[in-house]
Amino acid sequence: MPNTKRARLVASTIAIALGATALAACGSSDDSKADSGPVTLTFWSWAPGMDKVVDLWNKGPGKKDQITVTFKKQASGDTLVTKILTAHKAKTGPDLVQAEYQALPTLVSNGAVADISKEIGDAKSKFADGVWGQVTLGTDAVYAVPQDIGPLMFYYRADLFKKYGLTVPTTWDQFAETARALKKKAPDVDLTTFSANDAGLFAGLAQQAGARWWTTSGNKWKVGINDAATQKVAKFWGGLVKEGAIDNQPMYTPAWNKALDTGKQIAWVSAVWAPGVLTTAAPSAKGKWAMAPLPQWSANDDVTGSWGGSSTAVTTDSKHQAAAAKFAAWLNTNGAALDTMAKEGGIYPASTSAQLSGAFSNPPAYFSNQADFYTKAAEIAKTTAASSWGPNVNVAYTTFNDAFGTAAKNKSDFVTALNTMQDTTLADMKKQGFEVSQ
C-alpha cells in the first residue's frame, strides 16, 4: 500500500499542471552503459502466443542488438498486479510486464513502473490520442506502450432485427424504444441483458457518457464515480431492468450463451473482441450477427467507450530500462509482431497502422457476412473517449459486482448501488493514505 508521502507524490505527478518530473526522476534511468553489451530481459505476460512474438524479436532485432527477452507466462488481472507489487517490494521484479490500463495508476503509485518517455522515440505517433493518454496518465511521463484496446460497439442479430421490424438504434433513446418494441412483438425475447458481473463494461459506458471516475486537483485525488454522467448511465440501465424491457441476468453463463445462440437475446453491447466470444457462445448463429457503432447520448455525438485493453510497461526494478523500452516499442508497433499477436492471441492492436493490415485485412470468420467489419472497427476506435483511472480500481470493480449484482437481481435502484461504489472507493483511498478532496 502506498504511504502518504508517495500518495502525495503520485497525485501531484498525475496532475497535468504539475507534470511528472518528480516521479520521472525516480522512475527512469540512463542505462545506456549497462546496455552496451549482451542483455537479457524478463517479460511477464498472459497473452496467448506471446512466446512466438518474443521468438521473432530474439531471432531478429534482438539478435542484432544483443538484447534477448525471456518470456514467462503469468495470470492476468489483479493476480498479476499483486505479484508485481510483491516482487517490486522484494526488488525481484521482471524487466517488462503486461499491464491493463486501469492497473497502471496502481503500479505508478507504488513506484513499480518507470517513465520511459525518453526511450521510445516517436512511438506516440502510432496511436490515437485517447489511447496514448491511458499510458501517460495526463502527464509528460510515459509509463507504458499501448498494446491492445477494446472499443465498444453494438452487436445485433441482423436476421432477427429484420424479422421483428427493428431498426438499429443510433441513440440510447432509440435503444430503449427498440427494447420496448421487441417486448411487445415477442414477449419471450430480450434485446439484451444488463450484466453485473463485469464492471469493465459499465465503466466503458460511463466513459462514453463523459465520466471521469478519478481526477486530481493540486496534490489531491478526487473520486467521482457517482458523477452526473455515470448517474445518467445507471438510471438508464436501471430503468430498463426495472420495467422488464431487458433481461437482468449475468453474461458468460450457460443460460446467456443459450439465449444468444437461440435468438432469445438478439443484441449485445460489447467490444471489438466480441467475435471470439460469439464463436463459442452462439456457434449456430454464425454469419447472422452484425456490428454497428455504439448508440450515442445525442444524435450529434460520435464517441465510444472502451472495455479492456493492456500495455507493456518497463519496471523500476529493471537494470536495463533503455533496452526494455526498445523491446516494448517494437512489440507494439512492429507489423509482424502485432500480426502474430492478433493471430495467436486474438488481440485488437492499439497501433492505428495495424488495425487494417495483416490479420485485419479480412473480417472475423464469424462475421464473414460483414466485409467492412474491421474498417468500421478502426473508425470507431478513433472515437474512443479518454479514460480516467485511479489507484484502487480493483476496489471499485469488486464493489460494483456486489452492489449492482444485488440491484440487478432485485430490480432496485441503480443509483443507490452507484453511491455505494463511490463511498467504498473513497473510503479505501483514505485508508490507504491518499489525500482526497471531497
Side-chain angles (χ1 to χ4, degrees):
M1 292 184 182
N3 56 33
T4 302
K5 182 178 180 181
R6 177 172 288 163
R8 288 174 178 171
L9 173 62
V10 175
S12 297
T13 55
I14 290 181
I16 296 176
L18 297 181
T21 54
L23 190 60
C26 66
S28 61
S29 64
D30 181 4
D31 56 316
S32 56
K33 292 182 180 180
D35 293 342
S36 60
V39 170
T40 298
L41 307 172
T42 301
F43 177 29
W44 287 2
S45 169
W46 68 83
M50 187 61 76
D51 54 333
K52 294 181 174 61
V53 186
V54 170
D55 284 343
L56 288 178
W57 166 267
N58 288 335
K59 294 175 182 178
K63 184 176 181 179
K64 178 182 177 182
D65 295 337
Q66 294 185 298
I67 301 172
T68 301
V69 176
T70 300
F71 167 68
K72 292 189 176 181
K73 186 74 176 285
Q74 304 293 323
S76 60
D78 292 343
T79 301
L80 180 55
V81 173
T82 300
K83 186 173 182 178
I84 295 168
L85 296 180
T86 301
H88 173 62
K89 187 176 181 180
K91 300 187 184 303
T92 59
D95 297 278
L96 297 122
V97 65
Q98 183 177 354
E100 292 179 292
Y101 296 119
Q102 68 266 25
L104 277 177
T106 299
L107 298 177
V108 171
S109 68
N110 283 276
V113 294
D115 172 16
I116 55 174
S117 56
K118 297 180 180 179
E119 314 291 352
I120 54 173
D122 66 344
K124 179 181 179 180
S125 65
K126 309 292 184 181
F127 306 94
D129 290 343
V131 173
W132 189 252
Q134 298 209 64
V135 298
T136 67
L137 308 186
T139 73
D140 293 329
V142 177
Y143 296 109
V145 180
Q147 180 170 299
D148 61 302
I149 55 175
L152 290 175
M153 302 164 182
F154 180 70
Y155 294 88
Y156 63 101
R157 278 283 297 269
D159 59 330
L160 296 183
F161 262 58
K162 183 177 181 180
K163 174 183 177 180
Y164 296 122
L166 305 176
T167 301
V168 177
T170 58
T171 67
W172 287 114
D173 284 342
Q174 291 176 8
F175 178 94
E177 289 306 316
T178 299
R180 297 179 183 118
L182 176 62
K183 271 296 176 186
K184 291 181 180 179
K185 296 179 179 181
D188 62 335
V189 178
D190 290 295
L191 180 64
T192 192
T193 188
F194 178 86
S195 175
N197 66 347
D198 200 318
L201 174 56
F202 184 76
L205 292 170
Q207 179 185 343
Q208 184 212 21
R212 295 183 63 81
W213 285 1
W214 287 269
T215 55
T216 55
S217 177
N219 66 343
K220 294 183 179 181
W221 284 93
K222 183 175 182 180
V223 182
I225 291 176
N226 64 346
D227 63 7
T230 310
Q231 286 194 38
K232 178 171 65 174
V233 174
K235 289 176 182 177
F236 177 82
W237 288 94
L240 290 178
V241 167
K242 186 174 183 179
E243 70 178 86
I246 61 173
D247 196 9
N248 63 341
Q249 301 302 309
M251 301 180 292
Y252 309 122
T253 64
W256 180 74
N257 290 347
K258 184 178 180 180
L260 293 180
D261 198 38
T262 60
K264 293 301 182 180
Q265 276 189 32
I266 65 172
W268 183 27
V269 174
S270 188
V272 68
W273 41 257
V277 177
L278 291 171
T279 298
T280 55
S284 65
K286 179 180 179 180
K288 298 177 181 179
W289 285 76
M291 179 270 286
L294 200 65
Q296 303 292 309
W297 286 104
S298 170
N300 297 322
D301 292 341
D302 185 16
V303 62
T304 193
S306 60
W307 183 8
S310 61
S311 63
T312 308
V314 175
T315 72
T316 51
D317 293 322
S318 175
K319 294 180 174 61
H320 308 287
Q321 291 179 14
K326 187 172 187 177
F327 170 76
W330 172 88
L331 177 69
N332 298 306
T333 61
N334 178 269
L338 292 168
D339 193 44
T340 301
M341 274 194 278
K343 292 178 179 177
E344 298 291 337
I347 70 118
Y348 184 72
S351 170
T352 54
S353 62
Q355 291 169 1
L356 291 175
S357 62
F360 305 99
S361 299
N362 298 306
Y366 194 89
F367 283 79
S368 58
N369 57 305
Q370 190 170 359
D372 65 346
F373 182 94
Y374 283 124
T375 302
K376 278 190 174 182
E379 289 300 315
I380 293 170
K382 293 177 183 177
T383 70
T384 303
S387 63
S388 179
W389 302 113
N392 61 342
V393 173
N394 60 321
V395 173
Y397 276 21
T398 298
T399 308
F400 171 87
N401 291 344
D402 294 338
F404 276 83
T406 299
K409 181 180 180 180
N410 298 336
K411 297 186 177 182
S412 56
D413 184 35
F414 277 25
V415 174
T416 299
L418 185 65
N419 289 335
T420 299
M421 276 184 73
Q422 167 76 15
D423 294 343
T424 303
T425 304
L426 180 61
D428 177 74
M429 289 191 69
K430 290 180 178 178
K431 182 179 179 181
Q432 289 194 53
F434 290 99
E435 290 197 21
V436 184
S437 62
Q438 298 295 333

